[in-house]
Amino acid sequence: MQNGLYIVATPIGNLGDISPRAVETLKEADVIACEDTRITKKLFALLNISSANKKFIVYQNYNEEDEAQNILDLVINENKSIALVSDAGSPLISDPGYKLIHKAREQGVFVSVLPGCCALICALQLSGLPTNRFLFAGFIPNKDKARFDTLSEFKETKATIVFYETAQRILKSLEAAKEVFGEREMAVAREISKVYEECINGTAAELI
């Protein structure tokens, strides 16, 4: 395995969705950079991958700036191979990783990506909304004014817009969307790849 940085997608629900190449990379990597070591070690156990001789590094938004160089130094100075994973799905998509990859490319560190699960793409595919042009807008803010302002920013966008939202806040966001987008068709997808996978379509008022 070449020394460097490997961006590895993990399942978003169904364990069977991880690729054989991703499993092999997780087995061979010297170091695992992850959001939560408990979640990643649980995944390793489910995949029957030993974590005994691996170094696990917590890599989250709060320490991304400081930890990025430490991770790259393991490649540059110690010839290590690093696998970057999120708790679920593809790293960097509303998850930490951008600064690490940016620094890696600046410093000539080998970087490779292993395609895999991404909730953004799966939700878009399920929605039945146009896919020829889309914009990912990340998580909707928690505060009422920020939520309304964010949605309003995309009111005239001529593309399908994809947001992430929590189950606890979905109704608040749909109320704001009703005011901003009116009769525009929307979709809400949840539990993707799991037993209770669901996607419903309609206006914001109908979805509420």
Side-chain angles (χ1 to χ4, degrees):
M1 183 178 189
Q2 182 174 344
N3 299 330
L5 183 60
Y6 295 81
I7 306 166
V8 183
T10 57
I12 58 176
N14 191 313
L15 190 66
D17 292 334
I18 193 166
S19 73
R21 183 173 168 227
V23 172
E24 192 63 27
T25 300
L26 294 178
K27 285 180 179 179
E28 293 186 11
D30 300 310
V31 180
I32 309 298
C34 56
E35 295 180 87
D36 188 323
T37 58
R38 295 166 299 181
I39 291 175
T40 302
K41 286 180 179 179
K42 181 179 178 180
L43 175 65
F44 271 54
L46 291 170
L47 295 171
N48 294 316
I49 300 174
S50 173
S51 58
N53 296 319
K54 294 191 184 296
K55 179 182 179 71
F56 287 80
I57 297 175
V58 175
Y59 186 67
Q60 294 185 339
N61 288 321
Y62 76 87
N63 72 345
E64 187 172 7
E65 187 70 48
D66 296 331
E67 200 62 55
Q69 191 59 52
N70 294 332
I71 291 171
L72 294 179
D73 285 344
L74 290 172
V75 180
I76 298 168
N77 300 327
E78 300 183 32
N79 297 317
K80 300 293 186 183
S81 55
I82 318 285
L84 172 67
V85 299
S86 297
D87 287 346
S90 293
L92 282 78
I93 309 301
S94 277
D95 277 327
Y98 150 70
K99 293 178 181 178
L100 176 60
I101 305 306
H102 186 74
K103 284 178 178 288
R105 302 200 72 82
E106 282 185 331
Q107 297 173 40
V109 171
F110 172 78
V111 179
S112 183
V113 63
L114 283 70
C117 297
C118 179
L120 155 66
I121 299 301
C122 293
L124 188 65
Q125 292 168 323
L126 277 174
S127 72
L129 298 175
T131 57
N132 60 315
R133 178 184 293 180
F134 65 92
L135 185 152
F136 177 53
F139 278 97
I140 298 174
N142 186 27
K143 302 295 184 180
D144 291 344
K145 185 179 185 306
R147 178 187 297 115
F148 182 82
D149 289 346
T150 296
L151 296 178
S152 297
E153 179 183 346
F154 299 102
K155 182 176 182 178
E156 304 301 328
T157 300
K158 305 299 182 185
T160 298
I161 311 160
V162 185
F163 295 98
Y164 282 169
E165 184 54 290
T166 66
Q168 293 80 8
R169 300 202 302 254
I170 187 65
L171 287 176
K172 285 186 176 181
S173 288
L174 286 172
E175 289 287 357
K178 179 174 68 173
E179 187 173 349
V180 173
F181 295 113
E183 296 300 305
R184 181 167 176 166
E185 184 184 3
M186 303 179 185
V188 174
R190 70 182 188 109
E191 299 292 297
I192 294 170
S193 83
K194 302 177 186 177
V195 174
Y196 297 107
E197 178 180 280
E198 180 181 25
C199 184
I200 55 175
N201 291 57
T203 64
E206 290 168 339
L207 292 171
I208 291 168

